[in-house]
Amino acid sequence: MVRVRFAPSPTGPLHMGGVRTALYNYLFARQKNGTFILRIEDTDRSRFVEGAEEYIMESLDWCGIKVDEGVREGGKSGPYRQSERKELYGKYAEELLKKGSAYIAFDTPDELEELRRSYEKKGNTFMYNARIRDRLNNSLSLQKHEVQEMIGEGVPYVIRFKMPHNEDIEMDDMIRGHIMVNSSTLDDKILFKSDGMPTYHLANVVDDHLMEISHVIRGVEWLPSLPLHYMLYHAFGWDKPSFAHLPLLLKPTGNGKLSKRDGDKLGFPVFPLYWPHGDKARGYREDGYLPGAFVNMLALLGWNPGTEKEIFSMDELIKEFSIERVGKSGARFDAGKAKWFNHQYMQLQNLDDVSTEYIHLVKGKGYDISMDKSRRLVDMVRERVSFVHELWEQTDFFFEAPSSYDEKAVKKRWKENSPALMEELRSVLEGLDSFGSEETEKEVKEWINKNEYGMGAVMNAFRLLIVGEMRGPHLFDIITFIGKEETLRRIDRGLEMLT
Ligand code: GLU
């Protein structure tokens, strides 16, 4: 039975790298008919941030990543918030003490700080480990009765893992293969703090065991913790899950981890949703990204499908994703590519859905349009945009006559004979009974050809009068949409202003 978990700490807005971790876990679970669990790792109360847990859940919802067991969903392994499980961890720390795999340490933070400094002075790094633990203030160096007395007197203590000396720890990672680390390079990590709370390591391993997690898929920043986690499973005598450590998301330049500051500097979000607290941050959702595009882009940041295919729906991702095709080296984020994905998804989106959004957009500018008109406009210009909000820049002239005329375009396109041509065009248009796009185009072109006026000379000047600059879709579609009366009015006004 595949059971995987996403285990974020609610310390702020969830980074897009975190969303990718959740996504890969979710895809893996769905593909294997397994269970996707959301566990909130909030034992470090000093780093707890109000609103972060809600943000995590809302982000997953927006992405379409559905949680099977979690804080909201419940489930057989609950509670899923570590702060609600805190009574449970002490017992496991005790178990390790009894087995001799952990010990009690009374060293105060000040004492440790002093040691650290004196080591540094000699150019060394202090490590609480097998080499020196016997000389420090702990249950391995003190007499049994001394330890009992100190505990009785309420002297604060922590519980540390007793990392063995000079032992090769052999590990396997689904992405990185076989890994070996010698235990002498590792220190005796704190498992249980003096405030009665477990550290990440203990709580994480205990919960993965109790929740029967079969595969741990997480960011590579946790790889250095893997030897300790292996040793903990070993000490408890528990079966280990399989592990996969995902590559980093890199800055667009390729060096270093993608951070919020890169986003601020280069103008793209690094968080799925807007973060409204404290140091506010923009989000993909509010920037106008479609969740499918965001998810698709994220899926390919680290995973390589092995084909040229780039557009994947969630169902296709579930079918085709494989951990074996996740790379070891960091995946470079490309903001241009993110936009490209959104462009693709906007073209694939149901016309009625975009049109409904467009009606809202237009309403915000002070205009009411019918669904039918909205559909026509969206259909005309959607291939030119990557975001719904960009539709306005492509269609503003359907609602508003130009108030000025682009200088460069006037210089280039408004010729000496333009006023005469436009006067004549005006009467051609005025004489038309029907004002459909195809009819007007046919009539106007016949008139141009008959008089040998030159298509460019007429059409460019005409566009300038209708739009105010050299942009927009097919001109006959524009005039049909605004209607004969408005077309003539714009010609008159332009002639007046440019002549
Ligand atoms: N709480 C850790 C985090 O915030 C979880 C790491 C893990 O998945 O083991 O990323």
Side-chain angles (χ1 to χ4, degrees), residues 5-9 21 39 41 200 204 208 216-219 221-222 229:
R5 82 315 190 261
F6 176 50
S9 299
T21 300
R39 182 172 75 223
E41 301 209 325
Y200 154 74
N204 185 271
D208 281 348
V216 169
I217 304 170
R218 62 185 172 192
E221 61 272 30
W222 302 103
H229 294 185

Side-chain angles (χ1 to χ4, degrees), residues 218-244:
R218 62 185 172 192
V220 71
E221 61 272 30
W222 302 103
L223 190 58
S225 301
L226 188 59
L228 171 62
H229 294 185
Y230 256 66
M231 296 307 281
L232 281 169
Y233 280 103
H234 189 74
F236 280 118
W238 294 338
D239 286 339
K240 284 182 284 291
S242 299
F243 289 91

Side-chain angles (χ1 to χ4, degrees), residues 188-442:
D188 292 352
K189 279 270 180 297
I190 296 177
L191 300 177
F192 206 76
K193 295 179 285 185
S194 54
D195 64 0
M197 283 293 236
T199 58
Y200 154 74
H201 302 292
L202 181 69
N204 185 271
V205 166
V206 165
D207 283 347
D208 281 348
H209 170 70
L210 295 178
M211 295 182 181
E212 298 172 59
I213 298 302
S214 60
H215 297 77
V216 169
I217 304 170
R218 62 185 172 192
V220 71
E221 61 272 30
W222 302 103
L223 190 58
S225 301
L226 188 59
L228 171 62
H229 294 185
Y230 256 66
M231 296 307 281
L232 281 169
Y233 280 103
H234 189 74
F236 280 118
W238 294 338
D239 286 339
K240 284 182 284 291
S242 299
F243 289 91
H245 289 85
L246 306 176
L248 275 183
L249 285 195
L250 302 178
K251 296 178 193 302
T253 54
N255 41 37
K257 201 171 146 177
L258 183 67
S259 73
K260 173 171 180 292
R261 285 178 60 223
D262 301 312
D264 293 340
K265 253 197 324 232
L266 297 167
F268 60 82
V270 298
F271 301 107
L273 317 178
Y274 173 65
W275 173 255
H277 315 286
D279 190 7
K280 298 177 177 43
R282 60 199 284 188
Y284 280 88
R285 182 177 67 185
E286 289 71 16
D287 270 22
Y289 281 83
L290 293 161
F294 176 64
V295 164
N296 195 155
M297 181 243 341
L298 267 187
L300 291 171
L301 278 177
W303 170 65
N304 172 359
T307 62
E308 295 292 298
K309 181 170 166 170
E310 290 190 283
I311 303 296
F312 292 88
S313 67
M314 190 66 103
D315 284 342
E316 288 173 319
L317 287 173
I318 290 169
K319 246 189 241 134
E320 294 174 45
F321 178 77
S322 72
I323 286 283
E324 291 70 32
R325 297 202 67 90
V326 174
K328 288 192 195 62
S329 45
R332 186 197 298 216
F333 174 72
D334 177 349
K337 193 75 191 185
K339 277 196 189 139
W340 179 86
F341 274 110
N342 211 59
H343 177 83
Q344 300 299 320
Y345 272 76
M346 255 203 86
Q347 312 313 309
L348 295 172
Q349 209 186 354
N350 180 301
L351 180 61
D352 279 4
D353 291 346
V354 190
S355 305
T356 305
E357 287 185 60
Y358 179 69
I359 288 177
H360 288 299
L361 179 75
V362 166
K363 200 172 174 75
K365 305 286 179 188
Y367 304 99
D368 279 315
I369 52 165
S370 66
M371 189 61 178
D372 181 52
K373 280 198 168 170
S374 176
R375 268 196 223 107
R376 274 170 65 200
L377 285 181
V378 169
D379 200 36
M380 244 187 265
V381 300
R382 130 153 91 164
E383 64 185 29
R384 297 158 183 258
V385 305
S386 300
F387 300 95
V388 166
H389 60 80
E390 288 176 351
L391 286 171
W392 178 248
E393 299 146 36
Q394 297 294 335
T395 53
D396 54 348
F397 46 82
F398 283 96
F399 302 89
E400 294 162 0
S403 54
S404 64
Y405 301 86
D406 181 53
E407 243 174 76
K408 265 200 212 136
V410 172
K411 233 188 205 155
K412 211 165 149 201
R413 312 289 190 191
W414 193 251
K415 302 274 163 56
E416 218 176 306
N417 65 343
S418 298
L421 282 176
M422 292 302 104
E423 287 285 4
E424 212 181 313
L425 173 62
R426 187 194 190 286
S427 51
V428 172
L429 293 170
E430 196 174 19
L432 295 178
D433 291 331
S434 122
F435 214 68
S437 178
E438 274 158 41
E439 292 104 307
T440 49
E441 178 166 6
K442 187 170 149 276

